[in-house]
Amino acid sequence: MTVIETRKPAPVQVVGADVAAAVAAAEQMLVALGVDTQVEHLRRTAERMVLSYGEMLTPTPFEATDFLNEAKHQGFVIVQDVAFAAICAHHLLPFVGSATVGYLPGARLLGLSKLARLVEHATRGVQVQENVTQQIADGLQRVVPDHGGIGVFVEAEHLCMTLRGAKARGASTVTSTWRGALERDATLRSEFLSVAGRRSRP
Ligand SMILES: [Zn+2]
């Protein structure tokens, strides 16, 4: 005899969300789209949708840890290719990519993992890539206010553009922003890109 264990689904919990209303609305949307929500694989899909979006839209707490720049390090500090997945504000489809974030330190250094945390923080919630780029730079500016310059570039594939619409498979969108000395000095920007291994772009 084969015994199939049935597990009770965990209750959906999303901080600050009206889960019941969201599940009912999601169910209604699926039905209106002509989807049969009574077949086995779809019976709890509305609930899973709400849980998934809830998770992706909930910002993660972020606390910056900084240290005295004891060695008086004057070169760039760059964390490259921090992977992220965000939800686009226009279609609620994911855009997936990576961010490279760096700065020239002043008297204080930011904990390295905090650069990655800044990316994570900026990519939660419904977003557009241009805002993500600016928010990472603004966040970094706030936590290391005495920086000598900041550079951020973000590269992502937008599923709303590659799976549907233009169906531009493999197309990636690159956005960049600069603060402080990097905004003013093209040579410094080239140096940043060179250190980050992106000689020719963005
Ligand atoms: Zn989109």
Side-chain angles (χ1 to χ4, degrees):
M1 190 176 77
T2 313
V3 178
I4 299 170
E5 199 186 320
T6 53
R7 262 181 286 166
K8 221 177 165 205
V12 177
Q13 283 183 338
V14 180
V15 178
D18 185 343
V19 172
V23 172
E27 174 78 20
Q28 228 178 349
M29 183 185 79
L30 290 169
V31 171
L33 286 170
V35 176
D36 180 359
T37 58
Q38 294 311 304
V39 298
E40 195 187 344
H41 283 296
L42 281 129
R43 266 181 222 143
R44 290 186 53 230
T45 294
E47 195 181 327
R48 288 190 203 97
M49 274 174 68
V50 169
L51 184 61
S52 306
Y53 276 110
E55 186 182 331
M56 291 183 289
L57 300 183
T58 304
T60 42
F62 170 71
E63 209 179 302
T65 319
D66 64 348
F67 306 92
L68 186 65
N69 184 3
E70 280 176 316
K72 299 200 175 0
H73 174 73
Q74 289 186 324
F76 287 107
V77 178
I78 301 175
V79 174
Q80 294 188 76
D81 301 326
V82 180
F84 71 83
I87 301 293
C88 96
H90 303 144
H91 303 89
L92 286 196
L93 286 170
F95 59 101
V96 180
S98 67
T100 291
V101 187
Y103 68 108
L104 284 166
R108 307 289 298 175
L109 292 170
L110 186 65
L112 288 179
S113 69
K114 302 303 173 195
L115 290 164
R117 289 268 180 215
L118 276 169
V119 175
E120 192 190 3
H121 191 71
T123 50
R124 287 296 178 101
V126 284
Q127 267 293 16
V128 295
Q129 186 174 325
E130 294 87 336
N131 288 355
V132 164
T133 313
Q134 297 302 323
Q135 283 175 17
I136 294 170
D138 291 344
L140 185 51
Q141 194 151 249
R142 261 196 306 279
V143 292
V144 282
D146 68 341
H147 66 84
I150 283 172
V152 176
F153 58 88
V154 177
E155 190 163 7
E157 180 181 349
H158 291 246
L159 268 63
C160 58
M161 188 166 75
T162 59
L163 293 185
R164 53 159 296 284
K167 293 198 179 79
R169 290 269 158 89
S172 66
T173 303
V174 181
T175 46
S176 63
T177 194
W178 313 100
R179 299 283 192 276
L182 273 89
E183 200 176 359
R184 299 185 293 271
D185 187 339
T187 311
L188 211 51
R189 284 202 296 276
S190 302
E191 199 185 321
F192 179 97
L193 293 170
S194 164
V195 173
R198 310 280 173 122
R199 276 167 216 286
S200 56
R201 57 186 181 147

